[in-house]
Amino acid sequence: MKNYRRLIFIFSIILLCLFVSKCTKDEETEAERKERLTNEFNSEISADSLRSVVTWLQGMSTRFALAGNRRVVAINLKKRFERLGYSGCRLDSFMSVKTYRNINYQYWQYNVITSLQGSVYPDSVCIIGAHYDDILTTGDPFTVAPGANDNASGVAALFEIARVMKKENYSPANTIEFIAFGAEELGLLGSFSYSNNAKLNQKKIKLMLNNDMIGYQPSMNKAEWVVNIIDYDNSHNLRKEAETLCSRFTSLKTNNNNTYFKQSDSYPFFVNGYKALFFMSAGSDPYYHTLNDTVEKYNYEFCREVAKLSCAILIDKN
């Protein structure tokens, strides 16, 4: 009887060990969860969808911030977020005073904002943004300003990541705000308005990711594809983390040329003390601010890879 009880005890211990071992093996670590989600979400980011958004934006004829259709453009962006299933989308209005070609203008402008509520830290915010306005060096931007690469490409990445996250019912730890900024071409007016107010109200912004001109890549050889990651004095470590994620989850190489660090919507966030990164194509776009900045000129497989990087960072930080 004693031996029988001993065997039962030993057998019970073995079963318990096997059960604990299986549970440990089956239990997904936080790192594994983030890697799985990143791979799943990135597999759904579509080059065709990106091109479709760029085509849609170009079809508005002009997105010049001083043109008469500026509010209509903003409302169209808001409605597109709503069609993706986002509620609480809003126009964040701000006044712009601008002298353009010797004429003074004073107009309301609009940032377009929607969000995924954070499940753990709802008052902590990760921002992904892109400006939606365009301008021309020559010609009449009041009539036509196609702005496919500058910056329908960045807005397309914004919408595509928002689409995938909503489709997958993603619940981030921190709130994610998707922001289409207005009047960037008039002096970063939309991002200064937003970030100035954020600082004034002591808003907790964990990071800001800015996509601007991410479609230009004439080569179809992926070995030549490079994304430029612009960082700031307070975001060098964030840039290094982005480089690591880029090598893990995209086919892109990275560059860190900060020549244009003041020339897009990430800069006002840095000025106000927030960590920001700015993604753009490493190559110089010959169609910049011209009527030739049109949808057929750009590489949407490359654009997809840059969008995948932003998505990977958002998941990593949530």
Side-chain angles (χ1 to χ4, degrees):
M1 179 64 72
K2 186 183 291 186
N3 288 338
Y4 177 74
R5 288 177 179 172
R6 190 173 184 181
L7 285 172
I8 292 294
F9 176 75
I10 293 171
F11 184 66
S12 298
I13 293 296
I14 291 171
L15 286 177
L16 180 61
C17 290
L18 289 172
F19 176 76
V20 170
S21 175
K22 185 179 189 305
C23 288
T24 303
K25 185 177 180 181
D26 289 349
E27 186 176 318
E28 189 178 40
T29 68
E30 182 65 6
E32 289 170 340
R33 181 188 72 87
K34 288 180 178 180
E35 181 160 1
R36 174 179 58 79
L37 288 176
T38 302
N39 286 322
E40 288 176 0
F41 287 18
N42 278 353
S43 70
E44 294 194 43
I45 294 175
S46 163
D48 289 341
S49 182
L50 291 164
R51 183 183 181 116
S52 176
V53 174
V54 173
T55 302
W56 173 70
L57 287 163
Q58 181 179 306
M60 296 179 188
S61 295
T62 184
R63 302 187 311 279
F64 182 45
L66 298 177
N69 69 335
R70 62 193 174 281
R71 182 175 172 83
V72 172
V73 170
I75 289 172
N76 285 339
L77 294 169
K78 177 177 176 287
K79 288 180 178 178
R80 192 175 187 101
F81 277 127
E82 290 170 343
R83 288 196 297 272
L84 293 177
Y86 286 86
S87 59
C89 308
R90 62 189 176 92
L91 300 188
D92 173 34
S93 306
F94 59 95
M95 180 61 68
S96 69
V97 179
K98 181 70 176 179
T99 300
Y100 178 74
R101 295 182 180 176
N102 299 317
I103 299 175
N104 296 322
Y105 297 89
Q106 184 171 328
Y107 286 148
W108 285 104
Q109 304 286 348
Y110 310 95
N111 297 326
V112 186
I113 304 174
T114 195
S115 64
L116 284 175
Q117 183 79 355
S119 59
V120 182
Y121 311 107
D123 62 337
S124 176
V125 180
C126 297
I127 293 172
I128 178 168
H131 76 89
Y132 64 87
D133 62 313
D134 187 32
I135 199 169
L136 298 178
T137 303
T138 60
D140 179 15
F142 288 91
T143 304
V144 180
N149 191 36
D150 187 18
N151 182 36
S153 63
V155 177
L158 181 73
F159 275 113
E160 184 64 355
I161 293 169
R163 180 188 70 81
V164 170
M165 287 186 170
K166 177 59 71 172
K167 178 177 179 289
E168 294 298 326
N169 295 313
Y170 183 50
S171 179
N174 307 275
T175 295
I176 296 177
E177 284 192 349
F178 303 90
I179 307 179
F181 291 105
E184 188 264 3
E185 302 288 7
L186 301 183
L188 316 182
L189 300 186
S191 48
F192 264 119
S193 173
Y194 179 98
S195 60
N196 289 347
N197 287 333
K199 182 179 180 180
L200 182 65
N201 293 301
Q202 299 183 328
K203 188 166 185 172
K204 298 176 184 177
I205 298 177
K206 188 172 183 177
L207 58 86
M208 186 272 183
L209 305 178
N210 176 42
N211 286 276
D212 194 348
M213 298 180 66
I214 59 169
Y216 181 71
Q217 176 46 257
S219 174
M220 295 309 294
N221 180 2
K222 289 186 178 182
E224 299 177 6
W225 290 4
V226 181
V227 60
N228 187 30
I229 305 178
I230 294 172
D231 62 351
Y232 300 88
D233 288 343
N234 64 352
S235 62
H236 296 319
N237 287 338
L238 182 61
R239 189 253 304 164
K240 291 175 183 176
E241 292 172 354
E243 289 170 346
T244 299
L245 291 169
C246 192
S247 66
R248 285 177 59 196
F249 295 109
T250 83
S251 61
L252 301 172
K253 295 181 176 63
T254 62
N255 188 30
N256 176 223
N257 179 350
N258 286 346
T259 301
Y260 303 111
F261 77 103
K262 291 184 177 182
Q263 294 181 228
S264 193
D265 289 314
S266 44
Y267 180 64
F269 285 85
F270 163 67
V271 169
N272 281 294
Y274 299 116
K275 294 181 180 180
L277 295 177
F278 168 13
F279 307 115
M280 67 181 300
S281 305
S284 179
D285 185 354
Y287 311 114
Y288 174 66
H289 286 178
T290 73
L291 288 170
N292 291 319
D293 181 3
T294 51
V295 63
E296 72 280 359
K297 304 288 198 315
Y298 300 105
N299 185 335
Y300 298 96
E301 291 294 339
F302 174 81
C303 188
R304 175 177 183 263
E305 295 302 305
V306 183
K308 284 165 60 177
L309 174 56
S310 286
C311 187
I313 296 169
L314 290 173
I315 293 173
D316 183 67
K317 295 302 180 182
N318 284 280

